[in-house]
Amino acid sequence: MSELAYLVIREGSKWSDVFRLVPGQSVTIGRAPTNQVVIKDERCSRTHVEIFMSAGQWTLRDLDSRNGTKVGDQRITGDWTLRAGDVIRIGRSQLVFVYRLAEAFSESSTLVRRSNQDGSRLGAPGSSDDSSVLAACEPTTITHRRGQTKFLLPGEEDASGVSKMGRAAAKLCRMAFELAKAPDVATMAGLALDGLSEATHTDAAALLLLPRDFRGQPGGDDLEVVASQSASEKRYHRVSNVLASTVMREGEAVLARNVMGDSTLGSRDSKGEIHTTSVICAPVRRGRRVFGLVHLYSTNVDLVPDPDDLEFTLAVADTVAVALVNLNRRQELADNLTQVRTENVQLRERLGVHSEIIGRSAAIREVTEEIAQAAAANSTILIRGESGVGKELVARAVHFSSPRRESVFVCLNCAALAEDLLASELFGHERGAFTGATDRKIGKFEAAHKGTLMLDEIGEMSPGIQAKFLRVLEGHSFERVGGNKPISVDVRVIAATNRDLEKDVAEGLFRRDLYFRLHVLEIIVPALRKRPEDIPILAEYFLQKFVAETGRRIRGFTPEATEQLRNYRWPGNVRELKNVIERAVVLCRGQEIGPEDLLLTKLATAGDTGDPMAGDSRFAPVSLADIERHHILATLQHTGWNKSRTAGLLGIERSTLDRKIRRYSLADQAPRRK
């Protein structure tokens, strides 16, 4: 007697699986998923019974189950020695113990019979008790099994000088290239089935796969037919759940003869007769993971699959598994890319809300992307752009998009304070440090601990402050003005300027080492005239803002006003546009803002080469002397008539500046001293 045995499992009204019993391996049966055989029945205990080999006999032991275990109609206590044909009853489930599958699926016996009076055996051949006969069938015999294919190994040559395995391997190689190029699972499945139909002695085939998101122990009824084909007039019939579950669980390809029809994969003719078939079933697997199976069969008696067909089918199934893994990875990458793009759009929208950066131009989108990249780091940032472009808004956007968003954002304008006051603002001071220092003051660096400190107009910082500021940037501690206690802080610095720092470095007005320390990351904010498509959007935004604040009933701009806003050069950039719209909302007498409501200046913008007094884009010829006179006067007014700074900005000597002031009679326009 063979020590190898089988449990044929029936749940409810249908047979669901076949489990192979191997000597030396104990098998538990129960409701818990940790059992080797899982029965989904409330009457079944979590671990109900155990089957094991003892003294050369298979033994059944009840594990103190709640509802007990029966063999036939007899409830067992202790150990029970199993014999071929025993029907184990657990709840509504039945498990038939056999040494050969032919004993359960025999030619003359029924597939299932209720037990006779003692209930301990399947109905014997010729038994008169047939009250629960399900189906009669011919014996199913698995003639070959294969775990690995030999077509991927070297083979012996035939008389023609080419081995049979070599020809099969060549076909497999061509098929592998085609499968690798398949754009989707359906195309890949069609290519695989075409190759199998051409190379094997079968007339029907199918690829069945588990759902991509399937989890758990797979069964035959979990498979989905991805593609199928049949060379005969009969349509393809699905593989039986018993055979499919066996192949997927054991991970071996099988070649079987005389597999019954209707309930598994064959078909009935008009007379209701069952056509026997020969079947090949191979698992689609990668490592320990099984994705599904390849199913082939023949209903033609002249077309009988052989062991070489089994080998080739297994090789194709393994190749399909590799192609399927690649397709799944490709799909995952595509899904991840889509998700990243969606998150990127959401982050951009969220960033725009927090930072109040408004615009749809390519220039402003580029700035938004640079903000998102810079926010993730902790490096120093240098923001450059003309006055009024919104450098502080960019700095705020960086802060509120960074990991420091929960901490404070502190801003300080370096051009608004004298050197001593700037040192006190930056580093703080102790009581009595100077006249008027009546209390200790915490500086901006201390106030911004764990947060972000923005220093606007960094180019206006004096050389003395620059040196101390550089030490703090390098990670050194500092002391308050008038104090001697070292203070260390964790602050991210964002500097902003509208000056040409490279030129200042060349002229000795700005420290070279500080410039390189600040110039780690750089964001250049474009002037408003360089993104004209954003002008109507910003104008409408400011209009709605000030209409809500003032309660005025203004619908919008006239076409002429919109055209004038577009053509104006905006030397004051977004700041000027905001002020112009606010003034227009307050002074507008109608329901629409017209050109007469827009008060635009005639100041030149940086880089203009036309008439410095022209407020639009029309060219008006002027002399170089007029341009020079206007530029020198504007620079003097910008520096508060500080001649040394003016000469430095203009790149000329102080004596040369004095001569030009006299030549153009500019002294009359200097502010009078009180």
Side-chain angles (χ1 to χ4, degrees):
M1 180 184 299
S2 172
E3 293 183 345
L4 192 66
Y6 298 89
L7 287 177
V8 184
I9 304 168
R10 178 185 180 187
E11 294 181 353
S13 62
K14 62 180 181 179
W15 294 94
S16 62
D17 205 348
V18 175
F19 190 87
R20 184 166 58 175
L21 300 174
V22 180
Q25 296 182 5
S26 175
V27 176
T28 59
I29 303 172
R31 195 177 71 251
T34 53
N35 295 288
Q36 286 85 352
V37 178
V38 179
I39 297 179
K40 300 176 182 178
D41 190 336
E42 293 180 355
R43 301 178 186 179
C44 180
S45 299
R46 292 185 59 82
T47 305
H48 200 99
V49 297
E50 180 183 15
I51 298 178
F52 56 92
M53 176 73 74
S54 176
Q57 298 289 331
W58 285 103
T59 303
L60 174 69
R61 175 181 295 170
D62 184 89
L63 300 176
D64 297 326
S65 61
R66 182 179 59 185
N67 295 312
T69 306
K70 292 183 178 180
V71 176
D73 288 336
Q74 180 177 350
R75 183 160 181 162
I76 67 169
T77 57
D79 293 347
W80 177 278
T81 300
L82 291 170
R83 289 179 289 171
D86 278 350
V87 180
I88 304 169
R89 300 176 184 272
I90 299 175
R92 291 186 294 268
S93 301
Q94 301 176 18
L95 299 89
V96 182
F97 174 81
V98 294
Y99 285 102
R100 293 185 300 111
L101 290 177
E103 296 174 358
F105 304 104
S106 65
E107 182 176 8
S108 59
S109 69
T110 58
L111 182 63
V112 170
R113 303 179 62 90
R114 291 188 182 274
S115 60
N116 53 21
Q117 181 118 17
D118 65 12
S120 62
R121 300 287 176 265
L122 280 173
S127 172
S128 60
D129 184 6
D130 57 357
S131 60
S132 65
V133 175
L134 292 182
C137 60
E138 296 186 11
T140 299
T141 304
I142 296 177
T143 59
H144 294 81
R145 289 178 176 269
R146 181 62 64 182
Q148 300 292 333
T149 175
K150 66 183 180 182
F151 282 142
L152 300 180
L153 301 174
E156 296 182 2
E157 295 184 353
D158 58 16
S160 63
V162 180
S163 69
K164 185 177 181 180
M165 285 190 294
R167 292 195 299 271
K171 290 181 182 179
L172 184 63
C173 183
R174 289 193 298 269
M175 186 184 298
F177 278 111
E178 295 299 324
L179 294 178
K181 294 187 294 184
D184 51 55
V185 175
T187 303
M188 178 200 66
L191 291 171
L193 296 185
D194 289 342
L196 287 167
S197 176
E198 178 184 348
T200 61
H201 300 86
T202 58
D203 56 15
L207 175 65
L208 299 90
L209 297 177
L210 294 168
R212 186 178 170 189
D213 56 351
F214 181 83
R215 296 292 184 272
Q217 186 69 28
D221 52 355
D222 296 316
L223 293 169
E224 298 176 355
V225 179
V226 177
S228 65
Q229 56 182 231
S230 177
S232 66
E233 60 183 11
K234 302 181 180 68
R235 64 182 179 84
Y236 165 78
H237 283 260
R238 183 185 177 99
V239 65
S240 70
N241 290 339
V242 174
L243 183 58
S245 299
T246 302
V247 170
M248 288 194 298
R249 182 182 63 247
E250 299 183 4
E252 290 183 335
V254 300
L255 170 61
R257 310 282 192 211
N258 298 324
V259 180
M260 59 181 153
D262 196 47
S263 65
T264 51
L265 50 83
S267 62
R268 295 179 184 270
D269 60 16
S270 59
K271 297 180 181 179
E273 296 177 353
I274 299 177
H275 291 270
T276 59
T277 61
S278 297
V279 179
I280 294 177
C281 206
V284 177
R285 65 198 174 176
R286 184 67 172 165
R288 296 183 177 179
R289 182 178 179 185
V290 178
F291 299 96
L293 55 84
V294 174
H295 176 218
L296 294 85
Y297 64 87
S298 172
T299 57
N300 188 343
V301 294
D302 298 326
L303 200 64
V304 181
D306 57 28
D308 286 339
D309 293 333
L310 176 65
E311 296 278 359
F312 186 78
T313 303
L314 180 57
V316 171
D318 287 344
T319 306
V320 167
V322 174
L324 187 62
V325 169
N326 292 336
L327 278 174
N328 288 340
R329 287 178 179 173
R330 196 182 310 165
Q331 184 61 43
E332 289 175 0
L333 289 174
D335 293 343
N336 291 339
L337 181 59
T338 301
Q339 181 180 356
V340 168
R341 286 175 175 171
T342 302
E343 291 176 352
N344 193 17
V345 171
Q346 293 174 349
L347 287 173
R348 288 181 182 178
E349 293 175 352
R350 201 177 307 162
L351 180 62
V353 171
H354 288 308
S355 65
E356 298 183 356
I357 296 177
I358 299 171
R360 301 175 185 170
S361 64
I364 209 66
R365 286 200 304 269
E366 183 177 353
V367 170
T368 304
E369 291 176 359
E370 291 176 350
I371 291 173
Q373 293 174 344
N378 197 38
S379 306
T380 305
I381 302 176
L382 179 61
I383 302 175
R384 310 180 80 157
E386 297 178 10
S387 178
V389 295
K391 295 187 290 295
E392 184 175 342
L393 289 180
V394 172
R396 289 183 181 275
V398 171
H399 170 74
F400 288 109
S401 302
S402 72
R404 296 174 179 264
R405 67 176 68 89
E406 302 298 331
S407 300
V408 296
F409 175 82
V410 180
C411 184
L412 177 64
N413 191 323
C414 299
L417 301 170
E419 180 176 347
D420 293 340
L421 291 178
L422 179 59
S424 174
E425 286 293 325
L426 281 175
F427 309 113
H429 62 253
E430 298 289 349
R431 179 179 179 181
F434 50 83
T435 303
T438 57
D439 294 295
R440 171 188 289 179
K441 179 178 180 178
I442 301 299
K444 300 298 184 186
F445 266 107
E446 287 185 78
H449 182 58
K450 298 293 184 180
T452 304
L453 172 62
M454 179 194 176
L455 297 178
D456 200 4
E457 302 297 344
I458 191 71
E460 307 296 331
M461 187 179 288
S462 66
I465 301 297
Q466 290 179 29
K468 192 172 183 180
F469 176 54
L470 176 61
R471 281 188 54 82
V472 179
L473 285 183
E474 294 290 351
H476 297 283
S477 59
F478 62 91
E479 299 172 354
R480 300 189 188 100
V481 177
N484 54 14
K485 180 181 178 181
I487 301 171
S488 298
V489 292
D490 176 16
V491 175
R492 183 181 191 178
V493 174
I494 300 178
T497 184
N498 59 4
R499 293 174 62 103
D500 186 350
L501 290 185
E502 290 81 359
K503 182 179 178 182
D504 289 348
V505 170
E507 296 178 355
L509 300 177
F510 198 81
R511 292 181 64 100
R512 181 183 297 270
D513 47 4
L514 178 57
Y515 168 78
F516 289 119
R517 186 63 184 82
L518 292 174
H519 199 252
V520 179
L521 299 176
E522 183 180 68
I523 299 177
I524 299 178
V525 186
L528 184 57
R529 63 182 176 278
K530 294 183 179 179
R531 47 188 182 106
E533 58 268 40
D534 290 338
I535 293 176
I537 300 173
L538 286 164
E540 183 64 27
Y541 169 78
F542 290 129
L543 173 64
Q544 298 302 325
K545 173 179 170 36
F546 294 122
V547 163
E549 290 180 0
T550 60
R552 299 293 305 275
R553 296 182 179 179
I554 300 176
R555 295 195 301 264
F557 300 92
T558 64
E560 294 79 10
T562 301
E563 186 66 20
Q564 189 170 3
L565 290 173
R566 282 181 175 273
N567 293 333
Y568 183 58
R569 299 284 290 169
W570 298 106
N573 291 292
V574 180
R575 182 188 291 122
E576 182 184 6
L577 175 61
K578 176 184 177 182
N579 295 335
V580 167
I581 301 303
E582 182 178 10
R583 186 186 301 112
V585 169
V586 174
L587 300 180
C588 179
R589 298 181 180 181
Q591 294 184 342
E592 288 186 321
I593 294 177
E596 66 279 2
D597 300 315
L598 301 175
L599 183 59
L600 305 178
T601 68
K602 296 182 179 181
L603 291 176
T605 59
D608 278 351
T609 57
D611 183 1
M613 302 303 292
D616 55 31
S617 60
R618 294 172 296 179
F619 175 75
V622 294
S623 66
L624 289 175
D626 288 340
I627 294 177
E628 185 179 47
R629 178 183 184 281
H630 179 271
H631 185 64
I632 292 174
L633 178 60
T635 307
L636 285 167
Q637 292 173 342
H638 173 75
T639 61
W641 280 80
N642 185 320
K643 294 183 180 180
S644 297
R645 286 185 59 198
T646 300
L649 290 173
L650 296 175
I652 59 178
E653 297 292 335
R654 169 69 180 270
S655 58
T656 303
L657 176 62
D658 289 334
R659 289 198 303 271
K660 291 184 181 292
I661 291 175
R662 290 193 297 271
R663 179 192 302 172
Y664 296 129
S665 302
L666 298 178
D668 296 339
Q669 300 189 42
R672 295 184 178 180
R673 299 181 180 275
K674 295 182 179 181

